[in-house]
Amino acid sequence: MPLEIPDELQEEVPEEIKRKFEKLIEDPEVVQIAISSDMNLDGEYTESWLLATDQWVISFNSNHAKEPEIIQLPLHDVVTVKTRNYIGNGMLELHTAKKAFPVLRYSKTMNAKISDAAGFLEMLSGDGTGKEKRRGGRKRREGRCEKCGRALPHWSDSCPHCVETRRMMFRLLSYLKPYWYLVAIGTVIALATTALGLLPTYIFKYLVDSVFVPVVQTTAENRFRLLNLFIFALIGAHVLNQAVGTTGGYVMQWLGNRVIYDLRSQAYRHLQMLSLSFYNKNETGRLIARISEDTSRLRWFITESLRDLVIDFLMIFGMCVILFREDWQLAALTLIPLPVLAVGAGYFGEKMHRLFHRLWRRVSAITAILADTIPGVKVVKAFAAEDREVDRFNVVNKEVFDYSIRVAKLTLAYYPIMGLATFAGGIIVRWFGGRQIIFDDVAVAAGQLQPEQAFTLGTLMLFIGYMMQFYRPIQSLTRINERFRRAATAAERIFEIMDADPEIKDTKDSIELPQLEGRIRFENVTFTYDGEKNALENINFEVQPGEMIGLSGPSGAGKSTLISLVCRFYDVTEGAIYIDGHDIRDIKLNSLREQIGVVLQEPFLFHGSIAENIAYGKPNASKEEIISAAIAANAHHFIMDFPDGYDTQVGERGVSLSGGERQRISIARAILKDPRILILDEATSSVDTETESAIQEAIERLVEGRTTFAIAHRLSTLRRANRLIILEEGHLEDMGTHAELLEREGLYKRLVKMQSALSRIVAVAG
Ligand code: ATP
């Protein structure tokens, strides 16, 4: 199978580069890859190009005034293709057996494109079919699709271009199973819609043959009767068609929306179950898009596309059956332009799709420039860069113009060409049909043929009518593949979430611990996020119930990691953590987390009222409980200062609270939850002294009698803690009380000294 190079790697090459390229290559060859970069090899910002055919790879590195620097290599010699990441840019290198050739430098924004190009170049340097040249020689490029060589998106392990459409479709359609009766109704309605869509043209045939130009001689009275009957039938068919169509539309809408409802809620439920490591690997925005956009795309597919496809197919099938029954020879002739129509619609459709895609990309580049320069107009003016900006804008503007003209040309060519095919069909039908009418008329006059057996004007009208109806469904069916592929890609992205295994979950042997004491023991705990570097290494300590442990150490030492392990957001890589003598992995997740309270550095407030936010960990808490928690957290006063008090809406769309206020709401949340184990990540942001003492006071009430891990940023916390754990680069450096640690000349003493020096500086500056 030849390599299918994506559009992004087949850019429009400027004429000048094209000419130079053609001069360098003796025989004309198909350009497989054409990409531009925004730098030359010296790192200056200017446009450079790289073109590759099956035989050659050539780069043109612009040198401003001078001729571009050209590097030409036979693709056959290329052993590996590498991309190097430097601080401000990257370099594409081609390695032959003897030497490395830097061919294209690019800014970081082009990383994805160049990385894609590198993959394809490497494949082209094989036998051009994606198979590798040296058997067993080169290992598969990491992060690339094995089938097509495209870079895998970082949010997915599977390639959207190589989705197994059929498997995904079956899986998606399996969601229709519980509603099989609706599918059955929908199918019957589709059949009825098709029949009713075909009926008017058919009735018209009888109208012509029995009323307008009667084939068999009859009275005027009879013709009148038939005229009324057929007109009535036409009205009936139309009304029925509308009614059935509306019902069918509703059934499909219900079905599609219901399936998406099921899919969305299953995906969301699963997403909530997934471990934090899954969220670390997947960008939030991408996940949101999967739950919202991909499901909407599928909804559209089920409610609109699927129904249209079925009806279009049935329509064509129905028309063919009727026409072949009427006159198979003429029907066969009628179908002659059909392949042209199908191939043409497919070809133009594909081309149009690509062109529109490119045009839209340019149009969004215009938007991007506007969004950049209009808010930044002061800077533009201050640097007298107006002309430069206008030039930059005009480059893209010109591209939009060029692409719009190409789209216009294609559209203008499309309709006459497609029209010609339909017209040819019409002509064939009229000529052969007309000829048949004449022949049959002569035969009837000579008594060789019964009038009822003759080819009639009505039959000819039937052929002409259906001929016109052919056009739309054929055009729509040519895009069937693309529609299925798009739906399958969306389905795959959602199923990928559902198939992700929650790494941390209960087993059937997990035990319930309704009331923890809060004794925690770390035994030879080692943990790594990525399997390469240990974030914690061989940690051993024991904490007594009710003890407050301050965690201290430089940034990146592993403090947050340690508390994540206590919450069992991740499982230890080696060793074990025991709570009340039970391995944390044997305790039911809910029973563990229900007894852990967390006050984070930057508390997250959900959209909703303050009361709801406080009661997040205990949704059935009474108003009195909420208020007493808020009082204990020193939050009651400021809450009551809002006009809506506890009903004040907060979160993204509500009032914005200050850091200190958020902190106290978060403390109230923890107080209300009344956990046995408390995780405290103190705020580093500075708050005024009064707020600080209010927070401190609240924290003191909160920690009382609970096993507490506090990531300590302030000396005051360090002093208050019963013991301190000092971490450095994932190791437990020291452990002891504040006084004990101060006596030792260790890391802790250095940290304390640094902090007091810092607070002196802040005090002086203040
Ligand atoms: P800080 O005081 O700056 O918050 P910390 O002491 O809490 O730092 P951790 O956040 O526990 O340090 O990080 C310990 C090490 O683990 C660091 O080297 C960090 O880069 C790494 N790390 C933290 N979170 C992840 C993650 N999700 N994936 C991979 N590595 C991580």
Side-chain angles (χ1 to χ4, degrees):
M1 203 177 74
L3 267 185
E4 194 197 313
I5 313 273
D7 278 4
E8 295 78 32
L9 303 183
Q10 294 181 328
E11 294 176 32
E12 224 20 58
V13 184
E15 282 305 319
E16 199 192 325
I17 300 285
K18 242 188 228 168
R19 274 198 301 276
K20 289 195 165 58
F21 172 77
E22 278 157 11
K23 265 192 214 157
L24 291 167
I25 298 206
E26 285 162 19
D27 301 319
E29 287 177 33
V30 179
V31 176
Q32 300 279 15
I33 295 177
I35 47 164
S36 61
S37 95
D38 49 359
M39 284 186 169
N40 63 16
L41 289 176
D42 298 329
E44 295 163 331
Y45 282 99
T46 171
E47 194 172 78
S48 295
W49 280 86
L50 179 132
L51 275 65
T53 66
D54 286 332
Q55 311 286 329
W56 295 99
V57 51
I58 308 178
S59 77
F60 301 84
N61 283 281
S62 166
N63 259 338
H64 295 296
K66 288 182 272 165
E67 278 289 292
E69 185 181 343
I70 296 174
I71 301 167
Q72 180 173 7
L73 283 173
L75 206 52
H76 181 76
D77 287 355
V78 176
V79 183
T80 34
V81 183
K82 285 193 176 157
T83 51
R84 298 217 172 271
N85 272 318
Y86 300 122
I87 291 174
N89 53 54
M91 180 74 87
L92 180 69
E93 285 182 0
L94 303 183
H95 290 239
T96 64
K98 290 186 191 143
K99 206 176 155 197
F101 292 87
V103 284
L104 204 66
R105 195 185 281 277
Y106 51 92
S107 72
K108 297 268 182 190
T109 52
M110 303 206 156
N111 271 356
K113 179 174 85 177
I114 305 285
S115 160
D116 267 359
F120 278 98
L121 276 173
E122 201 159 87
M123 291 181 123
L124 277 179
S125 72
D127 58 10
T129 63
K131 284 187 215 122
E132 291 181 0
K133 182 168 54 180
R134 287 156 290 277
R135 213 170 289 160
R138 194 188 310 150
K139 71 175 192 320
R140 189 175 83 83
R141 277 181 77 85
E142 284 213 359
R144 294 193 166 276
C145 172
E146 264 181 282
K147 280 190 206 152
C148 74
R150 287 179 173 91
L152 291 178
H154 61 280
W155 41 267
S156 171
D157 294 336
S158 56
C159 172
H161 298 275
C162 301
V163 171
E164 290 174 70
T165 309
R166 198 174 308 166
R167 196 167 64 84
M168 283 304 131
M169 278 297 125
F170 274 123
R171 190 162 168 194
L172 177 66
L173 296 180
S174 72
Y175 279 79
L176 292 172
K177 233 174 171 178
Y179 313 107
W180 64 269
Y181 52 94
L182 283 177
V183 177
I185 294 176
T187 313
V188 171
I189 289 182
L191 279 168
T193 312
T194 312
L196 288 166
L198 294 175
L199 203 56
T201 315
Y202 205 67
I203 293 176
F204 190 65
K205 164 187 149 74
Y206 285 97
L207 203 56
V208 173
D209 285 348
S210 317
V211 181
F212 298 164
V213 192
V215 174
V216 181
Q217 283 305 316
T218 180
T219 59
E221 195 179 310
N222 224 352
R223 283 169 69 187
F224 240 118
R225 202 173 50 79
L226 285 173
L227 176 66
N228 289 339
L229 186 73
F230 287 132
I231 293 295
F232 184 71
L234 273 179
I235 296 172
H238 178 80
V239 172
L240 211 60
N241 199 358
Q242 295 299 318
V244 168
T246 313
T247 318
Y250 178 74
V251 169
M252 290 315 285
Q253 284 289 343
W254 196 93
L255 199 59
N257 280 298
R258 180 66 210 202
V259 165
I260 296 312
Y261 164 84
D262 292 347
L263 206 61
R264 209 179 260 161
S265 75
Q266 267 185 34
Y268 186 67
R269 166 172 289 276
H270 196 78
L271 205 55
Q272 292 288 341
M273 299 301 149
L274 287 172
S275 314
L276 275 191
S277 50
F278 175 84
Y279 289 88
N280 288 342
K281 279 184 243 148
N282 294 280
E283 255 178 52
T284 326
R286 301 267 184 200
L287 291 176
I288 295 173
R290 288 194 206 188
I291 302 285
S292 56
E293 285 166 29
D294 285 336
T295 47
S296 301
R297 197 167 294 160
L298 289 181
R299 185 183 57 79
W300 185 83
F301 174 76
I302 297 174
T303 53
E304 307 286 336
S305 281
L306 215 51
R307 175 169 173 254
D308 285 353
L309 287 176
V310 171
I311 293 181
D312 287 343
F313 179 77
L314 287 175
M315 276 292 235
I316 292 175
F317 181 74
M319 283 191 251
C320 285
V321 169
I322 294 176
L323 293 184
F324 272 89
R325 269 197 53 225
E326 290 289 332
D327 187 325
W328 71 268
Q329 282 158 323
L330 188 61
L333 288 169
T334 312
L335 295 187
I336 288 176
L338 213 64
V340 182
L341 215 62
V343 172
Y347 171 77
F348 274 105
E350 177 69 19
K351 239 183 138 102
M352 201 96 93
H353 178 72
R354 276 171 176 237
L355 255 169
F356 265 119
H357 197 67
R358 290 180 184 178
L359 175 64
W360 287 330
R361 277 222 305 265
R362 262 68 178 189
V363 172
S364 50
I366 286 210
T367 322
I369 294 182
L370 291 177
D372 225 21
T373 47
I374 294 181
V377 69
K378 262 191 191 165
V379 183
V380 174
K381 289 198 176 298
F383 285 88
E386 291 94 336
D387 289 340
R388 209 167 64 218
E389 286 303 337
V390 170
D391 288 346
R392 193 159 76 98
F393 183 80
N394 278 342
V395 169
V396 188
N397 200 10
K398 176 73 176 29
E399 281 179 352
V400 171
F401 172 76
D402 291 343
Y403 274 104
S404 304
I405 294 299
R406 285 178 62 180
V407 166
K409 277 187 197 162
L410 196 69
T411 322
L412 290 173
Y414 174 69
Y415 288 106
I417 291 174
M418 298 310 279
L420 192 68
T422 354
F423 178 73
I427 290 292
I428 291 173
V429 168
R430 284 179 179 89
W431 196 83
F432 283 97
R435 194 183 73 141
Q436 196 64 39
I437 289 177
I438 299 169
F439 280 167
D440 284 6
D441 268 358
V442 174
V444 169
Q448 294 161 337
L449 193 71
Q450 291 300 316
E452 305 88 64
Q453 290 166 334
F455 188 89
T456 62
L457 181 63
T459 316
L460 181 63
M461 300 301 273
L462 182 74
F463 271 85
I464 294 173
Y466 281 168
M467 185 78 214
M468 313 241 269
Q469 272 179 284
F470 257 154
Y471 182 68
R472 202 200 52 77
I474 291 282
Q475 202 186 20
S476 139
L477 283 181
T478 51
R479 303 199 74 78
I480 185 169
N481 238 343
E482 189 194 320
R483 289 184 189 192
F484 271 93
R485 211 185 63 186
R486 280 178 180 222
T489 314
E492 182 170 65
R493 284 205 286 256
I494 294 164
F495 292 141
E496 216 173 55
I497 293 182
M498 298 208 213
D499 293 345
D501 196 23
E503 284 167 23
I504 299 187
K505 56 183 174 198
D506 291 335
T507 63
K508 59 179 183 352
D509 300 324
S510 302
I511 50 167
E512 190 95 36
L513 285 185
Q515 186 61 43
L516 288 178
E517 264 190 79
R519 185 187 317 278
I520 299 171
R521 182 156 54 90
F522 270 56
E523 209 173 88
N524 304 324
V525 169
T526 295
F527 176 75
T528 167
Y529 285 101
D530 49 16
E532 284 180 12
K533 188 180 145 227
N534 286 339
L536 287 178
E537 204 164 313
N538 204 22
I539 306 285
N540 288 288
F541 64 84
E542 184 161 350
V543 179
Q544 298 307 318
E547 207 180 354
M548 178 174 183
I549 300 292
L551 288 171
S552 192
S555 177
K559 304 180 291 288
S560 310
T561 307
L562 194 143
I563 57 176
S564 294
L565 294 185
V566 175
C567 297
R568 210 184 156 209
F569 290 147
Y570 308 96
D571 270 339
V572 296
T573 314
E574 280 169 39
I577 299 171
Y578 296 93
I579 295 190
D580 293 354
H582 299 279
D583 189 322
I584 196 171
R585 286 167 292 198
D586 298 335
I587 304 173
K588 273 200 172 151
L589 273 175
N590 266 352
S591 109
L592 173 73
R593 295 202 185 133
E594 267 165 15
Q595 298 181 70
I596 297 182
V598 185
V599 178
L600 291 175
Q601 218 179 84
E602 279 173 28
F604 189 84
L605 298 188
F606 292 97
H607 177 72
S609 68
I610 291 185
E612 283 164 350
N613 265 289
I614 294 178
Y616 192 74
K618 194 180 177 189
N620 53 359
S622 67
K623 199 86 184 180
E624 288 71 32
E625 283 178 296
I626 294 174
I627 293 173
S628 57
I631 293 172
N634 282 345
H636 181 69
H637 283 298
F638 82 78
I639 296 174
M640 290 314 289
D641 282 345
F642 291 118
D644 292 339
Y646 281 84
D647 296 325
T648 306
Q649 295 291 308
V650 291
E652 216 175 299
R653 280 163 289 162
V655 299
S656 50
L657 300 181
S658 73
E661 288 166 347
R662 282 164 177 267
Q663 192 93 41
R664 278 175 282 168
I665 289 193
S666 162
I667 293 172
R669 207 184 250 173
I671 291 176
L672 187 60
K673 192 177 175 191
D674 190 21
R676 291 304 310 141
I677 298 169
L678 187 69
I679 307 287
L680 212 59
D681 194 354
E682 266 191 314
T684 38
S685 56
S686 52
V687 285
D688 58 75
T689 334
E690 200 180 322
T691 314
E692 162 139 20
S693 62
I695 294 176
Q696 289 304 331
E697 214 179 273
I699 287 180
E700 259 159 49
R701 279 185 213 129
L702 173 64
V703 301
E704 185 111 0
R706 305 179 208 274
T707 309
T708 305
F709 283 95
I711 296 189
H713 299 288
R714 294 200 186 90
L715 276 172
S716 51
T717 318
L718 301 179
R719 284 204 199 94
R720 194 163 7 103
N722 300 101
R723 279 187 301 159
L724 291 157
I725 289 179
I726 314 298
L727 292 171
E728 188 174 25
E729 289 186 9
H731 292 99
L732 197 152
E733 226 9 67
D734 217 342
M735 185 164 183
T737 62
H738 174 68
E740 281 168 3
L741 292 176
L742 271 186
E743 269 173 32
R744 299 175 206 155
E745 287 292 325
L747 174 64
Y748 181 67
K749 191 160 182 183
R750 284 208 307 278
L751 287 172
V752 171
K753 268 190 193 155
M754 250 156 54
Q755 208 177 55
S756 13
L758 202 66
S759 49
R760 272 200 301 277
I761 295 170
V762 174
V764 171

